[in-house]
Amino acid sequence: QVQLVESGGGLVQAGESLRLSCAASGSIFSINDMGWYRQAPGKSRELVATITGGGSTNYADSVKGRFTISRDTAKNTVYLQMNSLKPEDTAVYYCKARIRLDPISLYLYWGQGTQVTVSS
């Protein structure tokens, strides 16, 4: 059984920073790409940032220059450093990971989500 557990969400004022963490645990053979997505009330879930096993990153245009994704391979953990937060960043943030349970099987897992609220 594999779990993704997010932490670090909260309530901040515009311009402040937050750091989200997502730790994968369980019978993990290896982890391919990991990423962060968010869903605001009444909107679809959208990509925020992704990082490959080799460290290549991809960001939504709306967060480029403000957010940084990173990962600690040894800890099976991905981070999202969010600076200069804006009210429009308010959403539930979800961690996603493609995980191999053995050399062949590859599965997609989602975390339970963590709330980020930015007040103006």
Side-chain angles (χ1 to χ4, degrees):
Q1 188 77 359
V2 172
Q3 280 191 317
L4 299 181
V5 179
E6 300 123 330
S7 61
L11 171 63
V12 297
Q13 293 188 334
E16 294 184 339
S17 299
L18 278 176
R19 189 192 194 208
L20 305 183
S21 299
C22 171
S25 63
S27 301
I28 297 171
F29 177 78
S30 66
I31 300 178
N32 285 18
D33 54 293
M34 303 184 80
W36 291 95
Y37 290 70
R38 67 186 181 187
Q39 187 166 17
K43 296 188 177 181
S44 301
R45 190 172 297 189
E46 64 176 5
L47 178 147
V48 176
T50 61
I51 184 167
T52 68
S56 298
T57 58
N58 181 51
Y59 295 92
D61 288 343
S62 59
V63 306
K64 282 181 181 177
R66 300 187 298 122
F67 291 10
T68 302
I69 189 171
S70 61
R71 64 188 286 179
D72 184 329
T73 303
K75 295 182 178 180
N76 290 335
T77 299
V78 63
Y79 306 96
L80 186 68
Q81 178 66 43
M82 306 185 293
N83 299 329
S84 302
L85 282 160
K86 303 175 181 180
E88 50 263 43
D89 294 318
T90 296
V92 177
Y93 283 70
Y94 297 91
C95 172
K96 187 187 85 171
R98 299 185 192 274
I99 297 175
R100 292 191 184 276
L101 306 185
D102 55 54
I104 297 175
S105 304
L106 182 65
Y107 297 94
L108 176 64
Y109 292 91
W110 288 91
Q112 81 286 354
T114 185
Q115 177 70 46
V116 172
T117 303
V118 184
S119 63
S120 58

